[in-house]
Amino acid sequence: MEFEAPKVVRIAAALCIIVGLAGCTLPRSGPDKNEIFEGSVQRQGDAFVIEVNDRVTRATALVPALGFSSSFINAGVVGSDTIAPGDTLSLSIWENSDVPLLGAQGQTSSVLSEVQVDGAGFIFVPYAGRVRAAGNTPEALRKIVTEKLDTQTPDPQVLISRVAGDGSSVTVAGDVAGQGIYPIERPSRTLSGMLAEAGGVTSELEVSQVNIIRGGKTERVWLTDLYKNPAFDIALRGGDRIVVEEDRRAFTVLGATGAQSRVDFDTQTISAIEAIALVGGLNSNLADPTGVFVFRNEPAEIANTVLGRSDLQGAQRMIYLLNLTEPNGMFQARDFVIREGDTVYVTEAPYVRWQKTLTAVTGPLNTVASVDSLAN
């Protein structure tokens, strides 16, 4: 009888381990399908859990629609050669005289750089006096200055050009080769022309956005749409600010996937199947293809459409379930659009939990057996 005690002890220890495991939570990447459904509004939770079908896919297929309003599109092209208050001019004057008015003796040419047009639209030119520049083209102003100087110096030759200033100029910043202030000239009086003047865009074409800030109002357009739709190549206005930047949207992928991370949008639209592919696909050793969930705060308008209701107000917590094993499951995942801030979560297969439980039970028992073997 004295040899039976150790066996009783081992059996009791095994039972304690099993009972203990039954009351604890094994390590895992997140909730399983049943736990997610338990948190649904249908079961007194705080989120709507919806199985994705073709109707849901259509109702949630919302993508960011960027574009300019009619006030921006219908703004006519400003005469690119018209001088405005705040413009900065450069005047080059040649005199046919050994004793010039403007330059040193023997110097036949003079340059008046950065002559700014004042608020009233005038500039001051030595010996020509106060000359009205605003409303004139550089060519018209050249004739005016030439006539005024002609009475004081023989056959003056005048060249006038506009440079970047506070008048008919724009600021270009962000992902462009040459940030700076540029005058609106004939080649650059539209948006695409000004971007070319600034050296072109340096960010990825597919995810670049062009923002126009005008009079306290900001509007934006996808760079690809700017070149596809001529209506978006709007006329510029003095004081416009152009900012080019990459798309900042992102979503998160968690659970039984190849990687768990925050993922930036690399195209204008991303589907659920593409989102999973971007992190290496489903983990074949862990993932449950019937339990792919998308967590999202959905606007009330879309939530009402999805649920067939009209009483919901404010953003709603929605959980969309994709079952990749259904006959059209892959098609639905391909068509379901991922949006900014979404969380894509893939649950673990049920057998994985049993495998973890089995490992947790047999591990200690094997240890006990090893210790017992050593003791014997």
Side-chain angles (χ1 to χ4, degrees), residues 227-245:
Y227 294 116
K228 291 177 182 177
N229 189 346
F232 288 153
D233 193 15
I234 60 173
L236 299 177
R237 291 290 185 271
D240 281 354
R241 285 177 288 169
I242 303 172
V243 181
V244 181
E245 59 183 0

Side-chain angles (χ1 to χ4, degrees), residues 15-37:
L15 290 174
C16 289
I17 292 172
I18 294 173
V19 172
L21 287 172
C24 72
T25 300
L26 295 171
R28 50 186 172 147
S29 58
D32 59 27
K33 282 177 61 176
N34 291 332
E35 290 169 333
I36 293 175
F37 276 104

Side-chain angles (χ1 to χ4, degrees), residues 121-351:
F122 289 83
I123 61 172
F124 176 78
V125 180
Y127 299 100
R130 195 161 181 258
V131 180
R132 181 166 187 81
N136 290 310
T137 64
E139 173 61 19
L141 181 59
R142 182 193 70 78
K143 293 180 179 178
I144 295 172
V145 173
T146 300
E147 290 175 0
K148 289 182 175 294
L149 292 176
D150 191 44
T151 60
Q152 303 184 60
T153 184
D155 193 25
Q157 302 296 309
V158 179
L159 176 64
I160 298 178
S161 60
R162 294 170 57 249
V163 296
D166 297 330
S168 298
S169 62
V170 301
T171 302
V172 185
D175 298 330
V176 292
Q179 301 186 54
I181 300 174
Y182 293 88
I184 299 176
E185 298 176 324
R186 186 172 296 277
S188 61
R189 59 186 178 182
T190 62
L191 180 54
S192 63
M194 187 59 71
L195 291 176
E197 184 72 14
V201 175
T202 58
S203 54
E204 290 292 332
L205 179 67
E206 181 68 23
V207 291
S208 292
Q209 298 177 0
V210 182
N211 301 269
I212 303 293
I213 305 169
R214 176 182 298 173
K217 186 177 182 181
T218 300
E219 298 189 9
R220 61 177 55 87
V221 67
W222 293 107
L223 182 61
T224 53
D225 290 343
L226 169 62
Y227 294 116
K228 291 177 182 177
N229 189 346
F232 288 153
D233 193 15
I234 60 173
L236 299 177
R237 291 290 185 271
D240 281 354
R241 285 177 288 169
I242 303 172
V243 181
V244 181
E245 59 183 0
E246 282 192 1
D247 185 8
R248 303 302 181 191
R249 294 175 300 154
F251 60 94
T252 305
V253 181
L254 300 173
T257 56
Q260 303 182 47
S261 63
R262 182 179 183 272
V263 183
D264 294 328
F265 278 70
D266 60 359
T267 57
Q268 293 181 21
T269 59
I270 292 179
S271 68
I273 203 71
E274 290 171 328
I276 295 172
L278 285 172
V279 293
L282 301 182
N283 186 323
S284 59
N285 295 321
L286 300 175
D288 178 6
T290 70
V292 178
F293 292 90
V294 178
F295 293 72
R296 173 185 300 165
N297 289 331
E298 197 74 272
E301 180 181 358
I302 296 178
N304 279 317
T305 302
V306 170
L307 297 170
R309 300 171 57 165
S310 60
D311 59 320
L312 297 175
Q313 297 183 355
Q316 302 293 317
R317 291 182 175 179
M318 306 286 283
I319 304 175
Y320 297 102
L321 170 61
L322 291 158
N323 183 348
L324 302 186
T325 65
E326 291 182 348
N328 64 339
M330 283 291 186
F331 289 102
Q332 290 173 351
R334 183 199 63 184
D335 297 335
F336 188 84
V337 176
I338 297 299
R339 297 212 296 270
E340 180 181 11
D342 281 357
T343 298
V344 180
Y345 173 69
V346 180
T347 57
E348 292 183 346
Y351 93 94

Side-chain angles (χ1 to χ4, degrees), residues 31-75:
D32 59 27
K33 282 177 61 176
N34 291 332
E35 290 169 333
I36 293 175
F37 276 104
E38 285 298 324
S40 67
V41 172
Q42 297 90 323
R43 301 184 184 180
Q44 310 305 311
D46 61 355
F48 293 97
V49 181
I50 305 297
E51 294 187 18
V52 173
N53 53 35
D54 293 335
R55 184 186 64 82
V56 172
T57 297
R58 290 191 297 269
T60 58
L62 176 68
V63 296
L66 304 183
F68 297 127
S69 65
S70 58
S71 63
F72 275 43
I73 293 176
N74 296 331

